[in-house]
């Protein structure tokens, strides 16, 4: 379930909605479910980096989301004005500490573990990640940033595909990363005028900016924090890059 | 196992799994964040769309408006020309929601007059200000360049350039502080660097006009940009903030320039993150002292220490610095010195650019300088002669090792 793209001047975000409702509101719980489903992998990767095995990491993430969603452990969240990203990481660490204290049997005995998030393929994906000299927290932030970009570009590609403009997207997507796309060649290949290609390229960049910001807006306390969060995500990616270059 | 390949643009290694739609994640984000144009506002989502040129024009007949340059949390910036002087300028129109805040008009009038007095080569000059119809605006010097944030994102700030930038920021801050003006919002977005490498600080004192750090702070926190540059006392005792809050923010910018990271939590000294002169640690950490009393008390002191480190790095004699009182106004000698320093900064930048081009290019430009003024036929002869000498030396070396061809 996706919320409509927020328009100019929107004043609530999904996360602020969740935080404000403190888990009592059905709509807020749905919003939280959608958010959790999107950011399961970064948490999973964090747990793995912290030394958890594949099964344990999955249990931890599923367990956390179950607690958050089903058991309404969201009271007191109204005070939580920060980023969803920071909240989730803190919640996982808290949950993990609790789980360690508790008996393993108790955790497994209940059998009530709901699969709140799809982590199929997470283990394989984790194994493919290149080694980087990063802390588990930095890994988490990096994975989060990649997840945001994966969803944003995926959504945009789907939008273009659904409206029969898949070729245009493929031809122009390099614009999004600042690559030099020869408009004249694209125009010749797709049978468009150079002017139309230029306009399409501009629209694509604009559309990506909107899609990305709408996605990020869901995870921060107020729309005003979006740009700062984007900056933080960029720094997270750059930290990973400089570490990999060592 | 890694199948990472470097991005052709930023050089960052990435695997196919980390490349959404086959694109470089770093460049994707940097592109969508990058603010092109001459004036960059603090990056905050605006609350309402900016007025169009057509809407503004009837209220500002003295200006020929050319178009929107950038928009941000405070409002929007337009490129324009002052008709009577044919001077290109930047017009900043403040967001109407901001202008509607209680006490805004008086505060704006008072502060804008103080800002107009800040004439300094490293401060963006405010030419004119006023309120016309529903719009509150400032006409400013147009800077042909980019913000430090933009340059940092592009990874274009080498440590040597960072020092040259910090020195200029110190000069601007010291000048403003001597006039009794505190910036209150020093951050990379507000530090512009023009095409000649000259620093221009933007939005001096505007934070105060906007009431960001007064009791209205909590109510208006949605327009607060990134809080990472705020001194601890700015959070705790916003009404008692003095110029030392700017020195803390300068410390944050300095740390970020050197390491690419923000000094958050228990952070490591810069030299533990990157290869640097360890003496810079002392400067950065002292600017970042939590207690204002323990910090540098004057921006000029930061500048003195940075310059001493720069100077001795090049093997120059350190200047005596102790107890130098900041000048109240720039004297002729001071201006001359400032001019010399800027020239030096520019020379430094050229040097660092040369350094980045690699050893072959550096050797070539070194040779070019050596042979400057020598006619090209003679150059050719010298070149052939050197080539011959090198070949002869190589042959002699091979012969002496007794290697049998």
């Amino acid at each position: 379930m996706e919320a409509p793209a927020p328009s100019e001047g929107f004043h609530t975000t999904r996360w602020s909605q969740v935080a404000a409702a403190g888990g009592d509101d059905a709509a807020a719980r749905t919003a939280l479910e959608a958010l959790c489903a999107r950011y399961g992998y970064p948490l999973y990767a964090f747990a793995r980096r912290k030394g958890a095995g594949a099964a344990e990491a999955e249990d931890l993430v599923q367990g956390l989301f179950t607690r958050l969603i089903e058991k309404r452990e969201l009271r007191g969240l109204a005070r939580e004005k920060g980023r969803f990203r920071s909240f989730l990481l803190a919640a996982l660490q808290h949950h993990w500490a609790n789980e360690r204290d508790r008996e393993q049997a108790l955790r497994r005995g209940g059998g009530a573990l709901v699969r709140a998030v799809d982590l199929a393929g997470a283990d394989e994906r984790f194994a493919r990640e290149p080694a980087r000299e990063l802390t588990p927290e930095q890994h988490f932030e990096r994975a989060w940033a990649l997840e945001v970009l994966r969803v944003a570009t995926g959504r945009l590609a789907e939008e273009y595909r659904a409206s029969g403009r898949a070729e245009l997207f493929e031809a122009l997507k390099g614009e999004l990363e600042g690559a030099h796309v020869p408009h004249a060649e694209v125009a010749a290949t797709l049978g468009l005028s150079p002017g139309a290609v230029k306009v399409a390229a501009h629209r694509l960049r604009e559309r990506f900016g909107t899609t990305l910001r709408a996605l990020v807006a869901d995870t921060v306390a107020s729309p005003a924090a979006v740009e700062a969060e984007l900056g933080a995500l960029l720094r997270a990616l750059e930290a990973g890059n400089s570490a990999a270059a060592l | 196992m890694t199948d990472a390949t470097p991005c052709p643009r930023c050089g960052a290694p990435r695997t196919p799994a980390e490349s959404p739609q086959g694109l470089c994640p770093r460049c994707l984000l940097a592109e969508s964040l990058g603010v092109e144009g001459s004036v960059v506002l603090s990056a905050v989502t605006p609350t309402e769309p900016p007025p169009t040129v057509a809407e503004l024009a009837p209220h500002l007949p003295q200006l020929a408006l050319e178009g929107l340059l950038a928009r941000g949390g405070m409002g929007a910036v337009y490129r324009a020309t002052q008709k009577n002087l044919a001077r290109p300028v930047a017009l900043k129109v403040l967001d109407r929601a901001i202008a509607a805040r209680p006490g805004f008009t008086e505060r704006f009038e008072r502060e804008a007059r103080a800002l107009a007095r800040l004439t300094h080569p490293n401060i963006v000059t405010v030419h004119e200000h006023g309120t016309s119809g529903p719009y509150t605006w400032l006409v400013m010097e147009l800077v042909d360049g980019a913000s430090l944030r933009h340059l940092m994102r592009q990874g274009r700030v080498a440590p040597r350039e960072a020092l040259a930038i910090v020195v200029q920021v110190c000069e601007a801050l010291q000048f403003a502080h001597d006039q009794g003006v505190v910036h209150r919002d020093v951050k990379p977005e507000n530090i512009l660097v023009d095409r000649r490498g000259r620093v221009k600080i933007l939005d001096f004192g505007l934070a105060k006009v906007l009431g960001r750090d007064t009791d209205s702070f909590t109510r208006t926190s949605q327009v607060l940009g990134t809080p990472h540059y705020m001194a601890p006392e700015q959070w705790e005792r916003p009404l008692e903030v003095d110029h030392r809050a700017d020195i803390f923010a300068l410390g944050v910018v300095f740390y970020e320039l050197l390491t690419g990271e923000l000094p958050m939590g228990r952070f490591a000294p810069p030299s533990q993150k990157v290869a640097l002169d360890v003496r810079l640690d002392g400067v950065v950490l002292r600017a970042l002292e939590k207690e204002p009393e323990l910090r540098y008390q004057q921006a000029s002191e930061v500048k003195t220490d940075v310059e001493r480190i720069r100077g001795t790095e090049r093997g120059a004699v350190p200047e005596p610095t102790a107890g130098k009182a900041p000048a109240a106004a720039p004297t002729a000698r001071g201006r001359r010195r400032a001019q010399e320093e800027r020239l030096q900064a520019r020379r430094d930048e050229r040097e660092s650019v040369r350094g980045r081009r690699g050893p072959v290019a550096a050797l070539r430009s070194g040779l070019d300088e050596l042979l400057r003024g020598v006619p090209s036929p003679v150059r050719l002869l010298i070149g052939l002669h050197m080539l011959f000498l090198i070949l002869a030396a190589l042959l002699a070396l091979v012969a002496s090792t007794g290697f049998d061809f």
Side-chain angles (χ1 to χ4, degrees):
Chain A
M1 192 211 101
E2 295 296 347
S7 59
E8 206 79 68
F10 60 103
H11 285 289
T12 56
T13 67
R14 243 182 219 187
W15 174 228
S16 65
Q17 219 183 337
V18 172
D24 285 338
D25 181 327
R29 275 211 309 284
T30 317
L32 181 69
E33 246 177 274
L35 280 177
C36 287
R38 195 174 292 154
Y39 297 107
Y41 180 73
L43 280 180
Y44 172 87
F46 172 79
R48 292 293 305 269
R49 297 270 172 204
K50 276 275 192 190
E56 191 190 358
E58 184 167 353
D59 277 3
L60 276 170
V61 176
Q62 300 288 11
L64 170 70
F65 287 166
T66 309
R67 266 172 79 168
L68 288 178
I69 298 163
E70 295 288 302
K71 306 195 174 157
R72 305 189 179 190
E73 289 206 6
L74 282 165
R75 270 172 230 287
L77 275 186
R79 277 176 281 115
E80 180 68 54
K81 289 291 181 200
R83 296 158 169 162
F84 180 58
R85 176 160 59 83
S86 318
F87 162 78
L88 217 48
L89 188 60
L92 181 81
Q93 284 170 302
H94 192 69
H95 175 69
W96 201 346
N98 283 346
E99 287 297 298
R100 279 198 196 113
D101 292 346
R102 229 193 291 177
E103 284 211 347
Q104 293 274 318
L106 192 66
R107 183 160 59 92
R108 297 204 189 268
L113 210 62
V114 177
R115 298 190 73 83
V117 56
D118 183 17
L119 284 171
D123 183 34
E124 198 192 327
R125 183 167 161 196
F126 182 75
R128 280 201 314 267
E129 274 191 9
R132 284 189 159 87
E133 296 272 324
L134 293 175
T135 63
E137 286 79 8
Q138 287 174 316
H139 266 290
F140 169 74
E141 287 178 357
R142 183 180 165 81
W144 188 284
L146 287 171
E147 203 60 24
V148 168
L149 290 169
R150 197 179 60 81
V151 176
T153 50
R155 207 177 271 186
L156 198 61
E158 176 54 28
E159 188 180 307
Y160 273 73
R161 195 196 57 77
S163 56
R165 293 174 297 160
E167 278 186 327
L168 189 67
F169 178 81
E170 278 305 312
L172 291 178
K173 68 182 185 186
E175 294 262 348
L176 300 177
E177 55 171 6
H180 173 71
V181 176
H183 287 180
E185 278 176 33
V186 174
T189 318
L190 298 182
L192 294 166
S193 75
V197 171
K198 198 177 157 198
V199 170
H202 177 74
R203 286 221 181 106
L204 179 70
R205 281 199 304 271
E206 214 172 56
R207 197 70 205 107
F208 179 66
T210 311
T211 310
L212 180 67
R213 280 169 174 79
L215 203 61
V216 169
D218 277 347
T219 70
V220 290
S222 95
V226 170
E227 300 297 321
E229 174 71 351
L230 284 171
L233 296 180
L234 180 62
R235 282 195 293 279
L237 284 177
E238 286 176 343
N241 290 340
S242 54
L246 286 176
Chain B
M1 81 177 207
T2 64
D3 41 1
T5 48
C7 163
R9 267 164 309 282
C10 72
R14 72 250 160 83
T15 63
E18 292 174 332
S19 311
Q21 300 291 326
L23 304 170
C24 166
R26 200 215 72 95
C27 290
L28 260 179
L29 250 186
E31 267 304 304
S32 65
L33 263 167
V35 187
E36 293 290 349
S38 306
V39 179
V40 183
L41 278 171
S42 53
V44 180
T45 318
T47 51
E48 59 176 50
T52 63
V53 167
E55 282 167 341
L56 284 170
H59 298 283
L60 295 157
Q62 71 274 37
L63 300 176
L65 297 168
E66 286 151 34
L68 188 68
L69 277 177
R71 55 189 297 207
M74 297 182 192
V77 177
Y78 302 80
R79 194 190 169 94
T81 304
Q82 265 182 323
K83 287 177 188 165
N84 56 351
L85 296 169
R87 171 167 70 177
V89 290
L91 168 75
K92 177 175 279 189
V93 178
L94 299 181
D95 197 90
R96 271 193 274 184
I98 290 171
R101 283 181 205 158
F104 174 82
T105 315
E106 300 80 58
R107 226 166 30 227
F108 178 74
E109 264 308 309
R110 200 171 53 235
E111 290 300 318
R113 259 182 256 133
L115 305 188
R117 282 203 305 271
L118 289 183
T119 312
H120 187 274
N122 298 120
I123 296 176
V124 173
T125 310
V126 174
H127 297 311
E128 235 190 305
H129 69 274
T131 305
S132 315
Y135 306 111
T136 305
W137 50 267
L138 295 155
V139 171
M140 306 178 301
E141 175 187 2
L142 184 72
V143 178
D144 187 15
S147 77
L148 206 48
R149 168 72 63 221
H150 192 69
L151 295 181
M152 285 198 285
R153 272 193 198 124
Q154 295 182 329
R156 278 174 25 195
V157 189
R160 188 178 278 274
E161 290 172 292
L163 300 191
I165 289 168
V166 166
V167 162
Q168 293 182 69
V169 174
C170 288
E171 282 179 17
L173 290 179
Q174 186 62 52
F175 177 80
H177 293 166
D178 289 340
Q179 313 279 318
V181 178
V182 180
H183 192 297
R184 288 160 201 260
D185 197 15
V186 174
K187 54 184 176 182
E189 288 80 359
N190 283 338
I191 301 170
L192 308 180
V193 182
D194 74 12
R195 291 191 194 281
R196 294 185 301 164
R198 189 166 55 185
V199 167
K200 294 269 186 187
I201 302 191
L202 187 68
D203 289 349
F204 246 99
L206 266 190
K208 191 177 180 186
V209 178
L210 301 180
R212 272 191 189 169
D213 53 359
T214 64
D215 54 351
S216 63
F217 177 78
T218 43
R219 273 183 282 131
T220 63
S221 59
Q222 71 271 17
V223 294
L224 181 79
T226 150
H228 303 305
Y229 302 89
M230 280 169 71
E233 72 269 19
Q234 226 166 337
W235 292 100
E236 290 152 19
R237 307 179 295 276
L239 295 173
E240 294 165 33
V241 161
D242 64 20
H243 67 278
R244 292 172 299 186
D246 284 354
I247 292 175
F248 181 90
L250 168 68
V252 181
V253 173
F254 201 174
Y255 187 92
E256 199 180 0
L257 267 173
L258 294 174
T259 66
E261 290 169 30
L262 286 164
M264 291 188 333
R266 240 195 249 159
F267 56 88
S271 72
Q272 283 185 21
K273 298 251 169 202
V274 277
L276 277 180
D277 190 322
V278 285
R279 289 174 299 171
L280 286 171
D281 288 352
V283 180
V284 174
L285 297 182
R286 196 169 152 206
L288 286 172
E289 281 287 352
K290 279 203 167 58
E291 292 300 326
E293 290 73 29
L294 297 176
R295 245 171 253 161
Y296 281 103
Q297 298 297 300
Q298 300 288 341
S300 59
E301 294 169 16
V302 182
K303 182 187 140 182
T304 306
D305 282 357
V306 171
E307 283 187 322
R308 190 188 312 141
I309 294 167
R310 281 170 87 195
T312 48
E313 260 185 350
R314 283 197 298 268
V317 185
E319 311 169 33
T321 57
K324 204 180 77 182
T331 58
R333 215 179 108 211
R335 273 199 299 273
R336 212 165 35 244
R337 231 189 105 199
Q339 179 68 25
E340 277 163 19
E341 279 159 6
R342 274 194 295 280
L343 283 173
Q344 182 59 47
R346 238 170 275 158
R347 277 197 291 274
D348 288 350
E349 271 152 24
R350 274 206 299 274
E351 269 174 42
S352 69
V353 166
R354 188 178 301 151
R356 280 204 307 273
R357 282 206 317 253
V360 176
L363 188 68
R364 261 191 69 173
S365 62
L367 277 175
D368 276 352
E369 226 145 81
L370 214 69
L371 296 173
R372 186 174 294 155
V374 178
S376 43
V378 183
R379 274 201 210 193
L380 187 69
L381 268 177
I382 293 174
L384 284 171
H385 191 71
M386 280 176 75
L387 192 67
F388 174 75
L389 280 178
I390 291 166
L391 280 174
L394 276 175
L395 276 174
L397 193 71
V398 169
S400 72
T401 57
F403 184 81
D404 210 23
F405 281 98

